[in-house]
Amino acid sequence: MTATADFPQQRIMTEKHPPVLEVEKLQISFRGDDSSTTVVEDVSFTVGRGEVVGIVGESGSGKSVTSYGIMGVLPPNAEVTASKMFFAGAHDLVRLPSKKRRRLQGKEISMVFQEPLTSLNPLMSVGKQIAEPLRYHEKLSRKEAKRRTVEALRSVGIPRAEQTYSSYPHELSGGMRQRIMIAIALVCEPQLLIADEPTTALDVSVEAQILRLMKKLRRTTGTSILLITHDLGVIAEMADRVVVMYAGQVVEEAEVYELFREPRHPYTKALMASTPKIEEVRDELESIPGAVPTPSKMPTGCRFAARCPKAMEICSERPPEVELGSGAKTRCWLYAEQETGS
Amino acid sequence: MLYRIATSYWARYALQIIPVLLIITFVIFFLVYIAGDPVGQRLGDNASPQQIADLREAMGLNRPFHVQYGEYMWNLVRGDFGESYMYGRDAMPIVLDRLPNTFLLGGAAMLISIAMAVPLGVLSATHKNSVLDVVVSGLAVVGKAIPNFWLGIMLILVLSVSLGLFPVSGSGSWAHLVLPAITLSGGVTAELTRVIRSNMLEVLNQDYIRTARSKGLPHQVVLYRHAFRNCLVPCITLLALTTPLVISSAIITESVFAWPGIGQLLVNAVTAADMAIVQAVVFVTALLIIAFNLAADILNKVIDPRIRFE
Ligand SMILES: Nc1ncnc2c1ncn2[C@@H]1O[C@H](COP(=O)(O)OP(=O)(O)OP(=O)(O)O)[C@@H](O)[C@H]1O
Ligand SMILES: [Mg+2]
């Protein structure tokens, strides 16, 4: 799984999918005691039917918060606004009343969380936890729900599914727990799966299994996947299209082949340069000098400027989002000329 | 396998109980030995020294300490707690006769505590810093601070004497149970509410609650099946730990309301220096505390699979 080598050429997709998710100008802030901090701002992207869209970015860039916003599981002090956040073209996720939203959660949109060790209820058998969405959304009988649960356990590659059904989370390894999380997310066959760093906490061989599993699922059920990671290797292996986030904003979006062949934004370039070709160091993004600005000290201009080798004077002004054709976009002054030229 | 683990658990529990019982019975004996010379009280102020000496001789109070203790233990082992001089018959059956009344009062108080504390604790956690939360927290502080007898007397004054809603005291109908049960529940309700609130606040921030929400489960299911259940272990532990406290407030409550339980019996027995009854009540109470702790232990193991029968 190296970042730049061996990704299949046929990934270049020109065919347009009808979008499962359309996000436009998403903004998420957290209300504090006396002030409010905006941690996600002006985030826009779409996920087509059957498409795998990757979101990459350093720690703290707002990947998880964005996905919680889509999923509708932000804490009560969060404020979400967007000019558009549509699911399957029909449901406005920003304004959806909570009762209707619950009908989508776990059924049409589901999520695998970043923390496999703490995301399962310690007092409930994993079988019951997988069966829960079936019982509530599909109103299945206990028996039927159990049958489907055991099936789901098998499909995520868990040996002795019947036995595992009545296990408790603390009896299972991290990899097993992550499979359980995936089984919960997939048991109702959702249209959109959000996977937030599904493999970060796992070792490399388990990671490979989980990724293979997700690929298979996408192939067999046509589920769209929003895959969040800070591992470009995972992106190269899995994604059709990539959204690069920096300090709460999307700084670049491109098809995966194009992104690796011709990264535009200096941040994307730095990301690639700092990714080791052989997977040894896991925290590979640390090596970009400087640090992500904190939400309270966010510069008004380009947020990457302080760390950018190509920073110019104009970068202290808010950079434009430049359309580069074939769906690629970047938020950088370097390309502002091209837009007016094209 | 599980059976073997469980039996060794029971065996160890039993082994732990034996020294506890030995200590308790010794303490009871010792207290009675030093404090309770029942003779003077029974014979009245006008008894002659000769009469006193005769009764002491007859009751075996002149024998050395270890002889008396040996006899006491031997009697205990045979289930003989001595004869109550107030009633003129064996003390233990008298205590056991009164026990159901105390259970009724304690059970009713427990139900009231749980019925109040669970929704109040959960709501003040989900509505942290709201008016409700502030009011509930305030009430909890007051509830803990109010002495039991004062609450009981206030309830009698307002609800019985002024409004005539409930009988002032005694037993015999459900109406008689209401005020003493409320009185007894006060302190536990306050403490339980506080514990539920603080545990819920912690649990609601856990990752698995976000998972539960992401499944689109109804709000109440997330709140109770996922969040509240994870607060049960500390709640049950609290209830077990407060048993001695509840029993001591039961003694006061039963006296205030003339509720015919073992608490009232104990107070009467102490006043009359009926040491056989005192010993029997204290012994039963000690057993109850041990039993409640054991029950809490088992319940916690059933609820939380991470706690093992070790
Ligand atoms: N409940 C919250 N209240 C206030 N700020 C929050 C809250 N949750 C997240 N944040 C802030 O939002 C920013 C983005 O966090 P987020 O978890 O989305 O990052 P991430 O891109 O997922 O990082 P990582 O790769 O470490 O998972 C961080 O600065 C974080 O401190
Ligand atoms: Mg994250």
Side-chain angles (χ1 to χ4, degrees):
Chain A
M1 270 187 316
T2 52
T4 41
D6 82 67
F7 52 83
Q9 297 277 325
Q10 67 267 25
R11 279 271 181 71
I12 309 163
M13 288 202 184
T14 40
E15 143 204 23
K16 275 270 172 284
H17 306 286
V20 164
L21 180 71
E22 289 168 274
V23 179
E24 209 176 287
K25 293 203 187 321
L26 174 65
Q27 175 170 331
I28 299 173
S29 354
F30 292 102
R31 253 173 292 121
D33 286 331
D34 37 37
S35 65
S36 123
T37 40
T38 302
V39 299
V40 168
E41 196 191 84
D42 199 3
V43 165
S44 311
F45 60 89
T46 51
V47 180
R49 214 157 282 274
E51 193 179 29
V52 178
V53 173
I55 301 187
V56 266
E58 263 167 308
S59 192
S61 53
K63 306 182 296 290
S64 295
V65 170
T66 302
S67 61
Y68 298 159
I70 298 163
M71 194 67 226
V73 292
L74 281 163
N77 67 328
E79 256 162 35
V80 183
T81 56
S83 67
K84 194 161 141 191
M85 186 152 75
F86 268 47
F87 174 73
H91 307 276
D92 181 351
L93 295 177
V94 181
R95 274 159 284 269
L96 208 58
S98 56
K99 208 170 166 180
K100 284 191 177 154
R101 179 186 275 276
R102 281 202 291 270
R103 262 181 240 153
L104 298 178
Q105 288 171 322
K107 171 89 179 99
E108 304 296 350
I109 312 176
S110 56
M111 182 155 175
V112 175
F113 294 92
Q114 196 168 355
E115 306 85 2
L117 298 185
T118 50
S119 292
L120 288 167
N121 188 336
L123 303 189
M124 209 187 263
S125 73
V126 296
K128 281 223 176 81
Q129 298 190 54
I130 300 170
E132 247 182 345
L134 290 171
R135 303 268 295 152
Y136 281 93
H137 292 298
E138 305 195 2
K139 305 271 181 288
L140 295 188
S141 69
R142 233 171 261 277
K143 213 174 136 209
E144 184 61 12
K146 179 165 183 180
R147 195 187 61 74
R148 283 269 298 273
T149 300
V150 171
E151 222 169 74
L153 282 168
R154 287 216 184 87
S155 76
V156 296
I158 286 179
R160 285 174 292 152
E162 300 267 1
Q163 245 166 295
T164 310
Y165 182 93
S166 41
S167 306
Y168 286 89
H170 72 279
E171 299 167 335
L172 304 175
S173 66
M176 278 297 186
R177 285 189 229 183
Q178 193 62 297
R179 283 159 195 254
I180 302 291
M181 289 303 297
I182 294 176
I184 292 174
L186 293 174
V187 74
C188 288
E189 298 186 350
Q191 295 185 47
L192 174 64
L193 170 70
I194 304 173
D196 188 0
E197 316 237 8
T199 57
T200 308
L202 309 176
D203 63 58
V204 181
S205 64
V206 184
E207 169 174 61
Q209 288 173 351
I210 300 270
L211 293 183
R212 227 178 299 136
L213 174 69
M214 292 208 304
K215 271 194 210 163
K216 192 179 131 204
L217 281 161
R218 180 242 191 143
R219 212 171 44 238
T220 52
T221 60
T223 300
S224 310
I225 301 177
L226 185 60
L227 177 66
I228 296 166
T229 177
H230 53 230
D231 188 335
L232 284 172
V234 172
I235 290 289
E237 172 148 340
M238 300 287 297
D240 301 317
R241 217 143 41 76
V242 188
V243 172
V244 182
M245 278 185 79
Y246 183 79
Q249 289 179 330
V250 175
V251 293
E252 177 155 5
E253 181 186 334
E255 269 164 14
V256 72
Y257 180 75
E258 194 178 337
L259 186 88
F260 280 105
R261 194 194 49 191
E262 199 193 339
R264 260 66 168 240
H265 197 283
Y267 175 64
T268 316
K269 288 181 184 165
L271 262 188
M272 295 204 174
S274 67
T275 302
K277 295 288 184 286
I278 302 159
E279 198 130 70
E280 281 172 344
V281 193
R282 290 244 113 199
D283 236 341
E284 60 278 335
L285 304 192
E286 284 324 12
S287 51
I288 305 176
V292 189
T294 56
S296 52
K297 290 201 194 108
M298 209 49 90
T300 44
C302 173
R303 296 179 172 189
F304 187 62
R307 300 166 80 185
C308 182
K310 298 201 176 144
M312 309 173 285
E313 221 161 278
I314 198 168
C315 295
S316 61
E317 282 170 44
R318 204 184 155 82
E321 215 173 357
V322 187
E323 305 260 356
L324 297 160
S326 74
K329 273 187 274 181
T330 186
R331 188 190 298 271
C332 181
W333 281 112
L334 286 174
Y335 302 88
E337 285 305 300
Q338 287 187 10
E339 188 178 42
T340 39
S342 65
Chain B
M1 179 61 185
L2 191 66
Y3 174 76
R4 246 188 46 219
I5 295 167
T7 45
S8 81
Y9 168 77
W10 296 122
R12 210 141 33 79
Y13 208 95
L15 284 179
Q16 281 168 355
I17 287 175
I18 290 168
V20 171
L21 283 179
L22 279 177
I23 293 168
I24 288 169
T25 51
F26 181 78
V27 168
I28 296 170
F29 175 79
F30 188 72
L31 288 178
V32 171
Y33 182 84
I34 55 166
D37 187 343
V39 175
Q41 207 144 1
R42 280 195 215 177
L43 293 176
D45 290 340
N46 299 329
S48 70
Q50 185 57 44
Q51 280 174 304
I52 292 176
D54 288 348
L55 186 57
R56 287 185 67 88
E57 184 68 39
M59 289 176 77
L61 297 175
N62 287 334
R63 291 170 301 162
F65 178 85
H66 65 270
V67 176
Q68 289 190 44
Y69 179 66
E71 187 190 50
Y72 161 83
M73 281 310 288
W74 175 237
N75 286 338
L76 279 196
V77 170
R78 291 181 306 158
D80 179 2
F81 284 76
E83 191 171 282
S84 154
Y85 100 89
M86 283 199 299
Y87 294 85
R89 52 196 177 91
D90 274 355
M92 190 46 101
I94 297 168
V95 174
L96 295 181
D97 268 357
R98 295 285 196 102
L99 201 53
N101 281 332
T102 297
F103 277 156
L104 184 62
L105 176 60
M110 177 92 89
L111 283 184
I112 292 173
S113 290
I114 292 171
M116 301 270 292
V118 172
L120 286 181
V122 169
L123 278 175
S124 44
T126 53
H127 296 72
K128 193 183 164 203
N129 297 337
S130 67
V131 176
L132 175 104
D133 181 28
V134 173
V135 170
V136 168
S137 297
L139 280 179
V141 172
V142 174
K144 257 191 86 177
I146 288 182
N148 217 257
F149 69 88
W150 189 84
L151 176 61
I153 290 168
M154 283 301 136
L155 287 173
I156 291 176
L157 283 179
V158 176
L159 297 178
S160 305
V161 177
S162 302
L163 301 174
L165 293 177
F166 300 100
V168 172
S169 69
S171 65
S173 74
W174 290 109
H176 283 96
L177 181 60
V178 177
L179 294 189
I182 292 176
T183 305
L184 184 55
S185 70
V188 179
T189 308
E191 187 66 7
L192 194 59
T193 307
R194 206 184 52 75
V195 166
I196 291 175
R197 177 183 180 274
S198 67
N199 278 286
M200 277 298 278
L201 281 177
E202 201 187 309
V203 168
L204 285 172
N205 272 324
Q206 299 292 314
D207 292 336
Y208 55 80
I209 297 302
R210 197 174 47 211
T211 309
R213 288 173 65 204
S214 81
K215 294 177 182 175
L217 303 176
H219 190 55
Q220 298 296 316
V221 172
V222 174
L223 219 47
Y224 285 93
R225 192 191 304 165
H226 287 272
F228 181 63
R229 228 173 114 184
N230 277 279
C231 298
L232 275 179
V233 168
C235 289
I236 288 167
T237 307
L238 171 84
L239 287 179
L241 287 178
T242 51
T243 326
L245 215 78
V246 172
I247 289 175
S248 62
S249 25
I251 294 168
I252 296 161
T253 309
E254 289 185 0
S255 301
V256 170
F257 288 93
W259 182 261
I262 59 170
Q264 191 204 30
L265 180 67
L266 179 70
V267 172
N268 292 344
V270 168
T271 320
D274 191 340
M275 286 310 158
I277 296 270
V278 174
Q279 289 181 12
V281 170
V282 175
F283 186 78
V284 167
T285 311
L287 277 188
L288 281 181
I289 292 173
I290 292 173
F292 282 139
N293 276 293
L294 176 63
D297 229 37
I298 295 172
L299 216 54
N300 281 344
K301 283 176 210 302
V302 170
I303 291 166
D304 192 336
R306 288 168 300 180
I307 310 173
R308 291 255 139 249
F309 284 94
E310 271 160 9

